[in-house]
Amino acid sequence: MERRSFLKMSAALGCAATVTGCNSSSDDANVIPPQPPVTDEVVNWSSCLVNCGSNCPIKVFTKDGIVTRVETDHEVEDNYGLHQVRACARGRSLRQRNYAVDRLKTPMKRVGERGKAEFVPISWDEATSIIAEKLSAVYAQENGAKSVFRSYGSGAYYGFASNACFNRLFNLNGGCLNAYGNYSWAQQMEAAKHTFGTGSTAGSSTITIEDSDFFLGVAYNPSEIRQSGSGEGYDYLQALQRNNGLEVVMIDPRYTDSMLGKESSWLPIRPGTDAAFAEAVAHEMINHANFAAQSLPFVLEHSVGFTKQSIEDQKSIFETSGDPTKQEYAKVMNSDENYQDFILGQGIYTEAKTPEWAEKICGIPAAKIRYIADKLMTAKAPYIVVGAGVNRQANGEQNMRALYMLSVLTGKLGVRGASNGELPSMSSMSRAGIPTGSNPVKESISFFTWSEAIQHGETMTARSHGIRGTDGLDTPLGANIKFILSASDSSLLNQHAEINNTAKILREAEDLFVVSCDCWMTPGAKFADIILPDTSWLESNDLVNDSYASGSLGYLTAMSSSVETMWDCKSMYEAAAMIADKMGVGAGFRAGKTEDQWLEELYQSTKANSNNIDVTPAFPATYKEAQKIGFFRKNMNDNHVALESFVKEGKALSTPSGKIEIYSAELAWRAANWDQESSAQNPTGVKGDTITAIPQYTVTWDGYEDEDAKEDYPIQLAGYHTKGRTHSSYHNVPWLREAVEDAVWVNPMDGAKHGLSSGDKIEMYNDRGSVEVTVRITPRVAPGVFALGQGAWYNPGNKRSSTGHIVDEGGAINSLTRYQPSPVAKGNPQHTIRVAIKKI
């Protein structure tokens, strides 16, 4: 049913419910028109700014300075292209979140042990004076700027009063340690870089699925992760409706809401075995009757590494290039390590990657693997997309690169309706933000290694930890992290791996100072030395765009505060400005402007941006006028086709060879020079911590084939994103906890095996931690796999677990995950988990 039809039906039913005083004739019915729940309300526009990729607009109704209700966009006719942007249940619960009992009300100073949440209230003057004093002391030390770190936070995707304000503060005082990568996409970004020279989000636009004739989605779940009434999830549904009859094959350990009858088939796969599946599909594609005439010419022309000869030819080009880096690559290139031989079990390789070989590993029947290979080879425009869950595995780089190969082997890249496996390209309207200035610190750590850098930053190098910006492989970073600013950030504890070990590091770091700026007492805020209470979105004036996954529709919201700032909260801009005053750089921070003047200036810059031409309605003259209108939208006409300019126009890719790199010379160089399991230099001894020039399925720690872990921890645990949270944001909203159950999904076969029923309480544990969770028996998860939504708030109780840890009664999956940076990206492997269980 169309959304408009549903609304009409709902309205009719609502009116019918108001018929009260009926006489003998229905013509005499006394119809009482429905009344709004509150009269004399004021309406303001705000936005839901958590990191789901949408930034949906929120319509806020207040009376006497109190939020009475929250609605979402229904300002236009719901015609796709300029359609309504409807927030999901999370955005619609912002009234409850704004008035949550754990709202931070005043600055606080820690008085007890870090992590015990023992604080006393203090004034803003005292709080910012302490922070300025501590920060100045760190800057005064040798390499002090490299000891200052703003941890990765995405809990508030603001435009102006964002955590970027703290970057501006740091850069005015000497800079801070940089970080590269992120918790969502670290390994796939490296995989895409070394395959296509892209950033992993340059796949064909979702709208182009309407021209596909076969769809293969691996861990692709936009209907839950991108719930917005606009954005990727809505674009996906619209494309399926326009391409009625498209065969959709979904591969995932869970039967997700992106399926529910929209798929043609669901193939459950064992977590972390995606590369084995991909290699078996590749084996059948290479042996397909169409390959030699249809695909091979494309592969040989547009890629490097399929054959031995292609590697030798590229090696010669690098040797004579005059480029020192490429010449270094040439020294380690080995043409025996070519993809064709690897898949077929030829040359130096002894085992062909047949469907039968893969079936034993991934659990997908050999016949289904052959079927998928045949469909990819016979389709004219096969759309392949790989979700980010695949990359958050131990050595997830290999999973991603292996799956990307399938698009190359089809020989159909650059065709509308086909895609290369990357996440769909998204465009967005543009908006100006507060300038952060220039950071004089050149070194960067991986976002994921910050907790290690507290203890060992002084000795971390490019060779051992992927440090960027140092001179050579063995020059150490030279400084431990001693000051952390955590703003709208749960990676300080809850979203980081191995919570118990992270908490131990934070507790024991005597020379570490932690500042948390947030709206709520999150698990991470409990580990701060100073807490600064931020203003909520409903209390904020700001200008925000549609974030990174808004699909074909772009939009901007001119936020206006719906209620006065409550208690003693201040925006991140105000907080950073006060600290800047205490450090003597307040004038430089404010640049002679008030907050209102900043917003007007940024609005004018946004208004003038060519990307925002033809917005509906037209931008008014001033920011204040824009706030009265509130919401602006534009059809971005997203029609990007992956690699089209490379295939059809010959435009070189941003890889060292300028081509698709099945064989990556840069990864061959890293394999020869970086620390890893098989490295001669300080080997880690970590199973699966290997780098190879071509994508290869790798047996990893805690993976399906890790025999060392199976005996003690026989169950694979899969983490996933729930509809009731964005990461850990919104966990403290009771409405959403009622609507979306925090329970571990268990297949009925496993329920019978372990004697479990829905509603049972179990302890899930391993040598890293333990959680207490409720069981939900469902056929929507693969046998042998338990599935638990990520983002629940860590809440240690008083009970000891089977392995000696305090039981986390909150059910945070990161109590069970491992801190083990991946080999190439040094990213998070937090979907690779093995556990044992005990019924409570």
Side-chain angles (χ1 to χ4, degrees), residues 188-237:
Q188 71 183 49
M189 288 193 295
E190 284 290 308
K193 170 188 172 183
H194 296 297
T195 306
F196 305 117
T198 55
S200 83
T201 58
S204 297
S205 300
T206 315
I207 197 171
T208 65
I209 295 170
E210 65 188 15
D211 293 312
S212 177
D213 56 349
F214 181 69
F215 182 96
L216 176 64
V218 183
Y220 186 60
N221 185 20
S223 295
E224 288 183 88
I225 295 174
R226 315 285 190 220
Q227 287 183 87
S228 166
S230 183
E232 184 180 355
Y234 189 51
D235 282 355
Y236 175 67
L237 296 179

Side-chain angles (χ1 to χ4, degrees), residues 138-145 147 478-479:
V138 172
Y139 276 122
Q141 298 174 14
E142 184 178 3
N143 293 321
S147 294

Side-chain angles (χ1 to χ4, degrees), residues 233-269:
Y234 189 51
D235 282 355
Y236 175 67
L237 296 179
Q238 289 288 326
L240 291 184
Q241 289 179 358
R242 290 193 300 276
N243 194 352
N244 191 24
L246 173 67
E247 182 171 1
V248 175
V249 175
M250 291 290 212
I251 297 173
D252 200 299
R254 295 172 57 242
Y255 186 77
T256 69
D257 283 14
S258 295
M259 300 180 214
L260 297 183
K262 299 183 284 289
E263 85 293 354
S264 306
S265 58
W266 167 46
L267 300 178
I269 189 170

Side-chain angles (χ1 to χ4, degrees), residues 354-604:
T354 64
E356 286 73 21
W357 164 82
E359 180 179 354
K360 297 174 185 177
I361 300 169
C362 69
I364 296 177
K368 295 293 186 181
I369 292 173
R370 288 191 170 89
Y371 177 81
I372 291 171
D374 181 67
K375 294 298 295 187
L376 290 174
M377 291 303 297
T378 55
K380 294 180 180 179
Y383 192 105
I384 302 172
V385 59
V386 184
V390 174
N391 96 116
R392 293 188 291 269
Q393 301 279 352
N395 212 330
E397 295 97 338
Q398 296 285 37
N399 288 333
M400 298 301 300
R401 293 179 68 213
L403 287 162
Y404 287 162
M405 291 303 101
L406 303 184
S407 69
V408 181
L409 296 178
T410 66
K412 297 153 188 170
L413 289 173
V415 176
R416 184 179 171 89
S419 195
N420 64 341
E422 293 186 65
L423 291 174
S425 173
M426 301 279 166
S427 59
S428 134
M429 288 183 69
S430 301
R431 59 102 181 133
I434 189 168
T436 59
S438 176
N439 185 359
V441 176
K442 303 305 178 187
E443 292 87 351
S444 296
I445 63 171
S446 161
F447 71 98
F448 187 57
T449 60
W450 65 267
S451 57
E452 193 171 354
I454 292 172
Q455 298 177 311
H456 306 299
E458 287 182 337
T459 58
M460 290 164 62
T461 67
R463 190 189 303 277
S464 64
H465 289 82
I467 302 296
R468 297 180 182 176
T470 55
D471 297 325
L473 287 171
D474 297 310
T475 301
L477 178 63
N480 292 343
I481 291 175
K482 297 180 181 179
F483 183 99
I484 294 178
L485 193 292
S486 171
S488 301
D489 163 38
S490 278
S491 69
L492 186 65
L493 189 78
N494 209 78
Q495 297 305 101
H496 195 53
E498 206 164 337
I499 283 177
N500 289 312
N501 185 58
T502 304
K504 182 174 183 289
I505 291 171
L506 292 172
R507 280 195 302 267
E508 296 179 355
E510 294 181 0
D511 58 349
L512 176 68
F513 192 80
V514 179
V515 178
S516 174
C517 182
D518 214 314
C519 292
W520 303 274
M521 182 61 82
T522 66
K526 295 176 182 179
F527 283 77
D529 296 288
I530 296 290
I531 292 177
L532 302 178
D534 187 18
T535 49
S536 75
W537 304 326
L538 304 193
E539 300 160 3
S540 300
N541 297 294
D542 216 315
L543 182 67
V544 297
N545 66 344
D546 47 311
S547 197
Y548 57 86
S550 60
S552 64
L553 183 69
Y555 43 92
L556 280 157
T557 306
M559 296 167 56
S560 54
S561 56
S562 305
V563 293
E564 293 293 324
T565 298
M566 294 192 293
W567 303 296
D568 197 13
C569 299
K570 293 185 186 297
S571 71
M572 282 188 262
Y573 174 80
E574 293 174 297
M578 290 186 71
I579 299 169
D581 287 339
K582 299 293 173 58
M583 299 185 75
V585 294
F589 184 89
R590 292 185 174 83
K593 290 185 278 287
T594 65
E595 185 168 336
D596 284 346
Q597 288 171 330
W598 269 112
L599 285 165
E600 182 62 39
E601 179 179 303
L602 298 177
Y603 172 72
Q604 294 301 331

Side-chain angles (χ1 to χ4, degrees), residues 92-381:
R92 297 177 195 230
S93 72
L94 276 175
R95 178 178 180 272
Q96 286 69 30
R97 196 175 189 230
N98 195 69
Y99 295 130
V101 295
D102 58 352
R103 269 295 299 268
L104 298 171
K105 300 177 176 65
T106 185
M108 292 190 288
K109 178 174 67 174
R110 177 173 65 87
V111 293
E113 179 185 349
R114 185 176 284 151
K116 293 292 187 181
E118 295 173 352
F119 297 91
V120 295
I122 57 176
S123 68
W124 274 96
D125 182 68
E126 183 180 357
T128 53
S129 294
I130 293 171
I131 293 168
E133 180 183 351
K134 294 289 185 180
L135 189 52
S136 296
V138 172
Y139 276 122
Q141 298 174 14
E142 184 178 3
N143 293 321
K146 288 190 285 187
S147 294
V148 176
F149 187 67
R150 184 177 70 77
S151 57
Y152 174 90
S154 63
Y157 265 32
Y158 281 99
F160 164 65
S162 69
N163 48 27
C165 293
F166 293 108
N167 287 76
R168 180 176 176 85
L169 168 70
F170 293 154
N171 291 340
L172 285 168
N173 284 285
C176 60
L177 180 62
N178 295 290
Y180 64 87
N182 61 58
Y183 282 85
S184 295
W185 297 341
Q187 298 186 65
Q188 71 183 49
M189 288 193 295
E190 284 290 308
K193 170 188 172 183
H194 296 297
T195 306
F196 305 117
T198 55
S200 83
T201 58
S204 297
S205 300
T206 315
I207 197 171
T208 65
I209 295 170
E210 65 188 15
D211 293 312
S212 177
D213 56 349
F214 181 69
F215 182 96
L216 176 64
V218 183
Y220 186 60
N221 185 20
S223 295
E224 288 183 88
I225 295 174
R226 315 285 190 220
Q227 287 183 87
S228 166
S230 183
E232 184 180 355
Y234 189 51
D235 282 355
Y236 175 67
L237 296 179
Q238 289 288 326
L240 291 184
Q241 289 179 358
R242 290 193 300 276
N243 194 352
N244 191 24
L246 173 67
E247 182 171 1
V248 175
V249 175
M250 291 290 212
I251 297 173
D252 200 299
R254 295 172 57 242
Y255 186 77
T256 69
D257 283 14
S258 295
M259 300 180 214
L260 297 183
K262 299 183 284 289
E263 85 293 354
S264 306
S265 58
W266 167 46
L267 300 178
I269 189 170
R270 293 175 178 130
T273 65
D274 307 89
F277 160 78
E279 288 169 7
V281 174
H283 182 277
E284 295 306 291
M285 294 174 75
I286 294 170
N287 284 295
H288 195 276
N290 293 353
F291 185 77
Q294 170 186 288
S295 299
L296 186 58
F298 176 92
V299 172
L300 294 179
E301 179 182 354
H302 294 97
S303 70
V304 174
F306 183 74
T307 63
K308 181 183 180 78
Q309 188 61 51
S310 70
I311 298 173
E312 292 176 351
D313 291 345
Q314 192 62 50
K315 181 177 180 179
S316 297
I317 293 171
F318 283 169
E319 286 173 334
T320 59
S321 67
D323 184 322
T325 300
K326 292 179 179 180
Q327 289 172 334
E328 284 295 311
Y329 291 164
K331 293 177 182 178
V332 297
M333 293 175 71
N334 182 358
S335 62
D336 288 335
E337 298 174 352
N338 62 82
Y339 188 73
Q340 179 176 240
D341 283 354
F342 170 68
I343 294 296
L344 299 180
Q346 300 173 167
I348 64 173
Y349 303 102
T350 58
E351 184 175 32
K353 302 303 183 285
T354 64
E356 286 73 21
W357 164 82
E359 180 179 354
K360 297 174 185 177
I361 300 169
C362 69
I364 296 177
K368 295 293 186 181
I369 292 173
R370 288 191 170 89
Y371 177 81
I372 291 171
D374 181 67
K375 294 298 295 187
L376 290 174
M377 291 303 297
T378 55
K380 294 180 180 179

